[in-house]
Amino acid sequence: MRLVTLAAPVLVPLALLAGQEASAEALSPLRATAGGCTFQLSLRTRPGGFPPLTEIVLTREDAPACASGGASVVLGTSYQGSALSLLVTEEGVAVGFTSRATPSGSAAVFVQLRHVDPLSLSVLRAASLGALNPSSAGYVYSGVLGLLPDGTTLEVRGSKQGVIPGETGGGGQYVATWPDFFTSATPPEVVAYDDPTP
């Protein structure tokens, strides 16, 4: 299994995206190439709305080496920006992004995951990670995607506030693993921890 290395940082900090001086369009997108096609994950502000709503856009760039041609799809939306992660493998394209469903500063933050078909750009699988708190919203602030050495297990690492349902351990960091993410509906195993990294 060949893993494609990103040409841009894996994680765009949520704090930067929420800053008033950093527009979504001004931030560098993530890019990765496989099978002659370059995929770009980026943010754009949906026009005409207030408060601003950010769209998460996956684009397959048009190039002579890419037989599928150019196309793009909106994978989700979020208020107050989004932290992005992109993974392109021979099994498919995996996208991670944070989402906030309302503009309230206290609204819950989730990590959304998408398995995208590289030819049609249709979503083959959608999953999410959310956290619960006894008296307030839960927050999963980030989700950095990786592939384990078996070539089929998706790993997501990040920080959180609250308890992700089904997690073992405890703490403000987590690692979630999805066996056969690209070919099955197997649920993840989630381990929470505090530093040092397990």
Side-chain angles (χ1 to χ4, degrees), residues 22 112 162:
Q112 305 287 346

Side-chain angles (χ1 to χ4, degrees), residues 100-114:
R100 189 187 296 262
T102 74
S104 169
S106 60
V109 178
F110 297 83
V111 164
Q112 305 287 346
L113 302 172
R114 302 288 187 266

Side-chain angles (χ1 to χ4, degrees), residues 3-131:
L3 180 64
V4 177
T5 302
L6 293 176
V10 173
L11 180 64
V12 181
L14 183 62
L16 173 61
L17 298 178
Q20 295 181 353
E21 297 181 359
S23 68
E25 291 81 3
L27 297 168
S28 297
L30 304 182
R31 284 186 173 88
T33 302
C37 297
T38 297
F39 296 88
Q40 172 183 288
L41 185 62
S42 60
L43 303 174
R44 71 185 182 198
T45 300
R46 180 177 291 178
F50 186 82
L53 182 64
T54 298
E55 295 181 333
I56 294 86
V57 183
L58 180 67
T59 301
R60 186 179 59 233
E61 298 178 354
D62 193 12
C66 182
S68 303
S72 64
V73 62
V74 176
L75 295 178
T77 59
S78 178
Y79 287 99
Q80 300 189 27
S82 181
L84 305 177
S85 188
L86 174 65
L87 181 69
V88 178
T89 78
E90 293 175 355
E91 296 288 344
V93 178
V95 170
F97 60 93
T98 57
S99 68
R100 189 187 296 262
T102 74
S104 169
S106 60
V109 178
F110 297 83
V111 164
Q112 305 287 346
L113 302 172
R114 302 288 187 266
H115 170 204
V116 181
D117 184 287
L119 299 179
S120 67
L121 296 189
S122 59
V123 175
L124 302 178
R125 182 178 186 182
S128 64
L129 289 171

